[in-house]
Amino acid sequence: MTSESAISYEDIARAAERLAGVANRTPVITSRRTDALLGCELFFKPENLQRTGAFKFRGAYNALSEVAEGADAAEGVVAFSSGNHAQAVALAARLLGLPATIVMPHDAPPGKRTATEGYGAQIVLYDRYTEDRAEIAAAIANDLGYTLVPPFNHAAVMAGQGTAGAELFADVGPLDYLYVCLGGGGLISGCATAARHLSPDCEVIGVEPAAGNDGQLSLQAGELVSIPVPDTIADGAQITTLGGKTFEVIQRLVSEIITVDDAQLVEAMDWMLQTTKLLIEPTGALAIAGALSEGADKLAGKRVGVILSGGNISPTRLAQLLVENRV
Ligand SMILES: *Cc1c(COP(=O)(O)O)cnc(C)c1O
């Protein structure tokens, strides 16, 4: 661990202890058809089967455990998110007995709002065109003495996400390549830290939406690059810039960032449903879409890990995407 690194492997090991018996230890899934197509041995880590339907529960529970264990335990937690981080913080807060407030846009998908409320969180709505959610969350944190839990640029969140990668290596042994999607980079920075310790020769490859390749641009530039909110169906990766903490880890431990477009995401979701019967959301399909795009030329004869980050999509929306992609 270098002095400026946000996390070490020990942080992931500690997160794994906290998550034991609370998070699902998701299985490893294999697919003969995918292996035949790519000529490789491929291992999926299906975080769509994680509690709340995405890996985000890992980081949220680890971060909230720190809050709950803290000497001056905060009165509660606040997060801003319209997506999987909101549900993850809400459930983790309920399990740990902490009150939670989630700042969500008025036009968040009704299903996500209902799920978050169902876990007992207080919802504060804001107008995404005229109001600043970070400011609203900071004001709540200040007024109520709550701790703000960011979605990715936070050591305990990154370490928690890294347990997904650590479990995969523990179950299948060393790999040649590990494909991981990235939005803000919490998942990939945790998984790359796990890879460095458990499978030091494994190349970790990030996959971003082509329309939102801020991570790829940042790696190329050697500094954080910001882009406008990207137009992509991968809503979990509609991020304008990585965080300082995640970028530092990515710069050191991620070999390369590649991109895929929305049509490739829909094809990958279709492929996963047909071959493995797994329902994957668009952002969750980034990593397998990236591996499929690299193909047998790169992957033949290799041992390849692929993190499927989440599965929160309604069947109706999936059907719509499949139909639109065919015309
Ligand atoms: C949040 C999220 C991502 C992006 O994760 P980061 O840690 O921000 O890179 C990817 N997939 C799903 C399903 C997500 O919910």
Side-chain angles (χ1 to χ4, degrees):
M1 176 172 151
T2 61
S3 56
E4 76 272 25
S5 177
I7 56 166
S8 65
Y9 180 72
E10 286 64 44
D11 297 314
I12 297 173
R14 193 166 332 115
E17 281 170 22
R18 289 187 176 128
L19 288 168
V22 182
N24 293 335
R25 190 184 166 106
T26 52
V28 174
I29 304 275
T30 56
S31 153
R32 288 186 181 83
R33 281 176 65 193
T34 309
D35 285 359
L37 182 73
L38 298 173
C40 71
E41 220 183 327
L42 195 146
F43 305 96
F44 290 112
K45 181 69 170 168
E47 285 297 298
N48 57 314
L49 304 178
Q50 187 49 263
R51 293 183 81 167
T52 72
F55 71 91
K56 289 254 179 25
F57 178 70
R58 295 174 182 270
Y61 190 84
N62 190 45
L64 267 61
S65 298
E66 268 189 4
V67 172
E69 290 162 12
D72 52 357
E75 304 291 328
V77 291
V78 56
F80 49 86
S81 163
S82 54
N84 292 332
H85 180 60
Q87 292 173 58
V89 169
L91 175 59
R94 195 188 68 188
L95 294 171
L96 290 162
L98 292 168
T101 298
I102 310 290
V103 182
M104 266 194 184
H106 278 287
D107 53 356
K112 300 216 160 162
R113 185 176 159 185
T114 313
T116 307
E117 276 170 340
Y119 294 127
Q122 180 96 31
I123 310 285
V124 171
L125 295 174
Y126 76 102
D127 181 340
R128 73 161 103 203
Y129 301 101
T130 61
E131 294 179 290
D132 179 355
R133 62 183 192 169
E135 251 170 45
I136 296 170
I140 292 168
N142 197 44
D143 292 351
L144 301 178
Y146 282 14
T147 302
L148 182 68
V149 185
F152 51 84
N153 200 40
H154 182 282
V157 171
M158 293 157 66
Q161 320 304 29
T163 60
E167 286 175 13
L168 181 62
F169 289 113
D171 286 347
V172 306
L175 296 169
D176 297 304
Y177 295 109
L178 178 65
Y179 286 86
V180 188
C181 61
L182 68 155
L187 178 63
I188 196 171
S189 55
C191 289
T193 303
R196 173 50 60 101
H197 188 82
L198 298 170
S199 178
D201 295 329
C202 178
E203 281 188 31
V204 178
I205 300 178
V207 188
E208 277 186 319
N213 67 334
D214 60 289
Q216 189 183 50
L217 296 173
S218 298
L219 264 194
Q220 285 162 4
E223 62 183 17
L224 279 178
V225 173
S226 281
I227 58 167
V229 176
D231 183 11
T232 168
I233 59 171
D235 55 319
Q238 280 181 310
I239 300 285
T240 59
T241 183
L242 304 174
K245 295 184 167 102
T246 57
F247 182 53
E248 186 281 319
V249 177
I250 289 166
Q251 262 190 313
R252 261 187 310 117
L253 301 181
V254 172
S255 305
E256 191 189 0
I257 296 179
I258 62 172
T259 64
V260 295
D261 63 24
D262 282 1
Q264 288 172 295
L265 290 179
V266 178
E267 278 160 30
M269 291 159 75
D270 194 1
W271 176 263
M272 291 310 298
L273 196 53
Q274 294 203 42
T275 58
T276 64
K277 317 305 167 194
L278 291 175
L279 175 66
I280 308 297
E281 65 183 276
T283 319
L286 277 164
I288 180 57
L292 291 171
S293 78
E294 302 222 272
D297 285 351
K298 174 163 181 153
L299 301 181
K302 304 293 187 190
R303 290 168 51 80
V304 181
V306 170
I307 310 256
L308 303 166
S309 59
N312 289 325
I313 181 167
S314 75
T316 314
R317 171 78 175 138
L318 174 65
Q320 186 189 21
L321 290 174
L322 290 172
V323 169
E324 282 170 6
N325 211 41
R326 294 254 152 79
V327 293

